[in-house]
Amino acid sequence: MADSKDIESATTAIILDGIVPDSRTRRYDRQLRLWAASGQSALEHSRILVLSSSATSSSILKNLVLPGIGHFTILDKSIVTPEDAGNNFFLEGPDSIGKSRAEETVHFLAELNEGVDGRADTRELRELLNDPKGAAEWLGTYTIVIAHNLDNGLLEKLSTLLWEDESLPPLVVVHSAGFLAEFAIQFHEHTIIESHLESSPSLRIDKAFPALRDYALSLDFQNMDPTDHSHIPYVVILVRVLEEWRNTHNGLPPQTYPEKQAFKAKISSMKRKFDEENVEEAESQAYRCWTTSAVPSEISALLSDPRLSQPALSLPPFFRLLKALKKFTERHDILPLTSTLPDMKANTEEYVKLQRMYKNRAAEEKAEIREILVEDGGAEGVDDVLIDQFVKNAHRLKILNGRKWGTLEKEKDGERIINALESSPKQAATHFGLSALQRVLSKRGNTNQSQRQGQLQPPKITIEELTAEAQALLPSGASLPETEWNEVAGELVRAPTADLPNSAAFLGGLVAQEVIKMITKQYVPVDGICVIDLIETWTGVI
Amino acid sequence: MSVQPHFNGSAVPHDWAGRYYHIDQILNAPGPRTDPAFLAGDEVKDFLRNQVKILVIGAGGLGCEILANLALTGFKDIHVIDMDTIDISNLNRQFLFRQKDVGKSKATIAAEFIMKRVPGVKVTPYHGKIQDKDDDYYMQFNIIICGLDSVEARRWINATLVNLVDPENPESLKPLIDGGFKGQARVILPTITSCYECSLDMLNKPTAFPICTIANTPRLPEHCIEWASVLEWPRIHGDKKLDTDDPEHITWLYKAAAARAHEFNIEGVNWSLTQGVVKNIIPAIASTNAIIAASCCNEAFKIATSSAAYLNNYFMLIGTDGVYSYTFEHEKRDDCPVCGGEALDLSISSNTTVEQLIEMLVEKQDIQIKKPSLSTPTKQIYLQAPPQLEEATRPNLSKKILELVPAGGEITVTASTLPFSLSLRINYT
Amino acid sequence: MIKIWSMKKNEDAAAKKKPKTSAAQIRVQKDLTELDLPATMKTHFSDPADLLNFSLTITPDEGMYRGGAFVFSFAINANYPHEPPKVKCTQKIYHPNVDLEGNVCLNILREDWKPVLNLNSIMVGLQYLFLEPNADDPLNKEAAMEMSKNRDVFLQHVKQSMRGGSVKGIQYDSVIAR
């Protein structure tokens, strides 16, 4: 959820005339509240390539066109069949039969949002991939590539091509059959500043900065009028009581359980009446006095990245900032202060005063980060807005290390597979079932082409065939969990090529959501293979 | 081209060959998790396509998606209710609407769009409130899907469907599939599984700030906005109702809040935040709606066809940190005001007075009620307290029940000794 | 079709129609008939058939508001108890926690409302405001200031206002109990 600050920057930036937002801002109002103007701008500059215009592909695109991506291309040379016309909302029923599938779906998808540019490409992927250099150049013009139920051989080729050059876009691989589905995102590394994770930054009560400490010590609690007393912010109470405690405890905060209880009692004894709310808040927040404001372990791990020893200018902006952050934490053993102060019982004057202290201090520490950046020679191309975002989110930065599609099956020791089969048999069985199905279908090839229009029959696949294919994917010594496998395999042979409207819509939402996270670099995308079962209705991640 | 259908507005259009290639893979054969009662083949297809009548409540973010999915799945007789008109801020996700539709009825435009896009599907819109319709109306449907953002409306339809259940009429039990745009989908079998009211305490309560903070010690921009809407608007405008959909009203609030924020040195009041606070806006995007709507329609399909097990009974998706979902069985509550409590069939003589009935209830060993208060859905019969109401209802004590309750009518009994209430169905001997 | 439908249709049962009592209505009936009020509080229904709108009169028998009769209006909507009732003081009174428009500062009426609370809890909370006005969280800032700074003057103002006199240029309603 966006906090009020984000909404503010989202909207003030776009308001054109007067105070009422323009129609574009009003159109996107509900999503701007999630990813702000920065996220919207990233979306609007994105170019999406989708391979095929199946019902699932169209559903994914629908949920990207609506929020306003910049451009999409559908690569599909096929002609709309009667079967397509029955399950794709972005075709016009029988009127679309016989027309180019890419052109028809682009037409109906583009209608959803005039601000989005859509293009149909009726070339064939197989031929394009025969020229790897040309293909790489073409693929490089996109932000992300999405492939639904792509032929297994082509998928291998495409994923390898995209993996080998780190500058090429991430690939989203989606497989579905009937009620079962899975998808995963292939990427090398994904850095996130605005993760929106719920961890809250330290208020530095244990390491009060001078202005805060001086202020807390300057107040005369004893002789204060009762109304003023009941409006001292808990932050100030805690800083003060901790200081007094340290004076009588060799400079240490409360450490043992009895000490912590005694500390709380000390706070409680300040109460002028039994239900003084601010003192109660201080008591419940007392843990902040003995939780040391240090660099959280997740952030320390990021700071130990060997790349940070390289010259700043050779690094991308995120890592330059990370390098500066490292130096800052080495100096202060703490993350830079954020200016956001939670709401607390206080009168306006006290709260605003306190807020200003935090703001000023945060600005000073941000300035220090900027100075380090300049000293390191890494300030070029890093604007103040970015530094601001980075410092504000320093406690919840995130780096995801991705994998190539299909590597799970190719691991030599297969330990992760064996673990997955044991710890989450349902999810693992579904994954191997869908992988096996793709392989079986790819081996059969496109035998359906010769069928008469509207007389297409789903391929007959046996459980034995599927089981053999799945077993071939397992490392030696691993076996499929029997009950779960029978449920998965039975369902897959029942509907091997069914792109059900509801499954397509479900995947359409789920995949689009992850793609938006990748493009905006906000929120945390799924790390692993996401498996979906729409019979019992669950999702899981391997 | 092999089979090209012609529609000419005929009621039952012919499907084209291959139309249901995808769905029929499911309907032609059972899977491992399919109930043995499933009858694969023509019968179930005929039921789905020619017999089922389904109601969609809400044609907004979830509703648009639900209508599209149902139509493609093969439901052909769909009804939709929505009292709202289209606003520009709907267009980023309510994909059946275009700029030119702004201001028109959501239900009507959505129905027209679906019928144009998916041939042979009949969508009957109703532009109005769900409360306008009576039990007979709801009785005609096989399944009801709810895509609403209002707690009040969901409580109403839930209670209506629970009350509709007549033990002697299996047709009266209407599965309710409820989608919530925060990321929940659930299946409610009224009186059998937990109902919407059972889970009311799971709802986040709306943020409310202490009124004295708003009045005297504002700290956040939100406090200034609440001051403008809760205190200043009624002070200046008297009884004139605040319309949060009226941009002029929001602008007035914004200006009042901004002035107050300035006075108190508080930063961050702007038009958008003002609108967000007073309308209690929850951010919404197409993708979350798509997931929840798809899940609702998928349950409707499985329930209508028995082609696979259905959700038991609650699915929750949280998509901010990776993909995390939670599927669980929400338990029915015995003390649920809607589906909990007992209902008794009571046969009494047509001469029985209210006083006699109360004595009967107090003496009844198996229920042990002390000081029962009685009412019908439209009036009070006898209330034990407060004194004024006791006095006002006291003349009823000597009246015959028959004068107050028709045969088959219901009496609601409350008493401190009951977990919630007891419902009596009265018949006369 | 799932099993619940496999049974036969019963045409005539559908004909019988019954209006239903809403959960909110039952809950209000329950709350009202189980009220446990001291002699200092009394409810009044201008329309005894309408349980959702009524007034409460508080006549404190101790404290500085003794001798007054304070009237609050209660309006309950269909979303009760998910939403709290709307409660206002119908008179213009001089009280630190009640403003001149009749708004009342009581936590359980807003931020701390929970469906497990009931009408009784609200009424008891309202009465408490007259026994122990709270100067720290004021709605009438003037009154609160006076109360914490000059208690004697405050008491005088209370008496004056209750008789319908004016305090600092503001005329208050007479609330003397008859």
Side-chain angles (χ1 to χ4, degrees), chain B residues 50-316:
Chain B
N50 301 321
Q51 294 180 44
V52 175
K53 209 170 187 180
I54 190 163
L55 173 66
V56 179
I57 300 179
L62 289 167
C64 283
E65 306 267 351
I66 290 169
L67 289 169
N69 294 339
L70 290 178
L72 287 179
T73 303
F75 290 90
K76 295 215 171 142
D77 191 357
I78 306 171
H79 290 237
V80 59
I81 302 188
D82 199 311
M83 61 187 278
D84 275 351
T85 53
I86 298 160
D87 181 78
I88 185 168
S89 64
N90 301 145
L91 302 182
N92 80 327
R93 60 199 188 285
Q94 301 178 13
F95 70 109
L96 305 179
F97 310 141
R98 303 289 178 265
Q99 186 74 43
K100 65 175 168 45
D101 302 321
V102 169
K104 295 182 189 159
S105 151
K106 284 189 176 179
T108 310
I109 299 294
E112 281 169 9
F113 194 105
I114 296 287
M115 289 197 280
K116 182 164 177 288
R117 185 59 66 83
V118 189
V121 173
K122 191 170 145 233
V123 185
T124 313
Y126 174 69
H127 177 74
K129 294 166 75 168
I130 50 173
Q131 290 88 344
D132 298 345
K133 300 291 187 183
D134 60 13
D135 285 358
D136 288 346
Y137 174 81
Y138 292 106
M139 197 64 197
Q140 65 180 310
F141 301 104
N142 300 94
I143 301 175
I144 289 147
I145 305 189
C146 221
L148 282 167
D149 56 3
S150 145
V151 173
E152 191 180 332
R154 286 154 96 187
R155 286 179 73 193
W156 188 89
I157 188 68
N158 176 67
T160 300
L161 295 181
V162 170
N163 274 291
L164 204 58
V165 178
D166 174 351
E168 273 152 38
N169 177 17
E171 289 294 315
S172 67
L173 203 153
K174 314 288 180 192
L176 170 65
I177 302 165
D178 179 56
F181 61 130
K182 283 188 195 160
Q184 332 84 1
R186 67 192 292 190
V187 173
I188 295 169
L189 302 177
T191 69
I192 297 176
T193 67
S194 112
C195 78
Y196 185 73
E197 193 84 14
C198 289
S199 61
L200 210 56
D201 56 2
M202 279 171 69
L203 288 177
N204 290 333
K205 53 174 195 171
T207 14
F209 303 105
I211 202 157
C212 38
T213 300
I214 298 169
N216 281 307
T217 56
R219 299 176 292 268
L220 306 180
E222 288 86 348
H223 294 157
C224 301
I225 295 165
E226 287 266 286
W227 172 82
S229 64
V230 175
L231 297 175
E232 200 60 1
W233 179 276
R235 199 178 72 80
I236 302 291
H237 295 96
D239 284 339
K240 184 171 156 196
K241 219 177 155 335
L242 176 65
D243 176 6
T244 56
D245 288 327
D246 184 340
E248 281 183 29
H249 288 193
I250 301 285
T251 302
W252 188 91
L253 293 177
Y254 160 71
K255 285 182 176 163
R260 185 168 174 84
H262 182 74
E263 180 193 339
F264 283 91
N265 287 313
I266 294 166
E267 291 168 27
V269 171
N270 60 48
W271 201 91
S272 174
L273 183 67
T274 306
Q275 189 201 30
V277 170
V278 297
K279 288 188 76 171
N280 190 19
I281 292 179
I282 289 146
I285 44 172
S287 44
T288 321
N289 285 335
I291 298 165
I292 294 308
S295 152
C296 290
C297 296
N298 192 45
E299 297 313 321
F301 171 68
K302 291 185 293 181
I303 287 171
T305 61
S306 277
S307 57
Y310 57 92
L311 170 64
N312 184 26
N313 50 27
Y314 207 118
F315 171 73
M316 239 164 92

Side-chain angles (χ1 to χ4, degrees), chain A residues 207-447:
Chain A
K207 293 181 183 165
F209 48 92
L212 175 60
R213 186 174 161 274
D214 293 348
Y215 180 67
L217 294 180
S218 74
L219 293 179
D220 182 3
F221 285 12
Q222 242 84 69
N223 296 313
M224 215 175 250
D225 123 353
T227 305
D228 289 344
H229 188 273
S230 69
H231 286 94
I232 312 169
Y234 78 74
V235 167
V236 176
I237 298 180
L238 289 179
V239 169
R240 170 71 165 263
V241 177
L242 180 61
E243 182 73 19
E244 287 170 5
W245 176 278
R246 278 179 175 149
N247 288 341
T248 54
H249 290 81
N250 301 320
L252 294 170
Q255 283 169 312
T256 62
Y257 180 72
E259 278 185 355
K260 288 173 187 173
Q261 291 305 106
F263 186 82
K264 283 187 185 175
K266 192 171 154 65
I267 297 173
S268 188
S269 70
M270 283 178 60
K271 278 186 199 168
R272 295 274 184 90
K273 51 176 198 172
F274 77 98
D275 60 348
E276 213 172 15
E277 265 179 76
N278 57 332
V279 183
E280 280 174 353
E281 276 183 0
E283 220 179 313
S284 72
Q285 299 288 327
Y287 71 92
R288 292 180 185 271
C289 295
W290 49 82
T291 329
T292 323
S293 298
V295 181
S297 58
E298 304 87 52
I299 304 299
S300 306
L302 303 187
L303 298 178
S304 64
D305 193 308
R307 279 173 290 181
L308 300 186
S309 55
Q310 293 170 24
L313 211 52
S314 69
L315 297 170
F318 179 90
F319 287 94
R320 282 189 238 166
L321 283 161
L322 203 59
K323 189 178 160 82
L325 182 66
K326 186 182 166 86
K327 205 170 255 177
F328 182 94
T329 60
E330 282 164 358
R331 283 182 196 166
H332 305 285
D333 200 23
I334 205 165
L335 289 176
L337 189 69
T338 63
S339 59
T340 36
L341 190 65
D343 189 27
M344 60 192 74
K345 177 87 184 177
N347 59 30
T348 308
E349 208 189 332
E350 286 301 309
Y351 185 81
V352 169
K353 205 186 282 173
L354 191 63
Q355 198 176 40
R356 202 152 288 159
M357 284 180 219
Y358 273 81
K359 267 193 182 148
N360 292 343
R361 179 66 186 188
E364 282 167 37
E365 298 189 2
K366 191 177 90 176
E368 188 176 339
I369 295 268
R370 194 192 296 110
E371 274 164 33
I372 300 175
L373 207 58
V374 173
E375 283 163 23
D376 282 355
E380 207 190 302
V382 180
D383 63 12
D384 211 49
V385 179
L386 185 63
I387 301 177
D388 199 56
Q389 284 291 6
F390 189 88
V391 172
K392 220 163 77 191
N393 291 287
H395 61 289
R396 51 184 177 189
L397 300 169
K398 196 106 183 157
I399 300 180
L400 297 184
N401 290 301
R403 278 168 225 100
K404 182 178 181 303
W405 165 255
T407 38
L408 183 65
E409 286 78 8
K410 289 183 188 116
E411 278 179 16
K412 280 182 217 95
D413 57 2
E415 200 183 318
R416 285 200 308 137
I417 297 185
I418 292 166
N419 282 346
L421 287 167
E422 271 172 18
S423 62
S424 32
K426 277 187 185 182
Q427 287 86 334
T430 310
H431 166 68
F432 282 104
L434 285 161
S435 302
L437 178 67
Q438 285 308 315
R439 284 170 167 78
V440 172
L441 290 174
S442 295
K443 280 179 189 165
R444 299 259 175 114
N446 235 344
T447 50

Side-chain angles (χ1 to χ4, degrees), chain A residues 92 109 148 191 193 226 250 286 303 373 447 517 539:
Chain A
E92 208 165 33
L109 282 165
H148 172 237
T191 56
I193 296 175
N250 301 320
L303 298 178
L373 207 58
T447 50
K517 292 182 198 171
T539 68

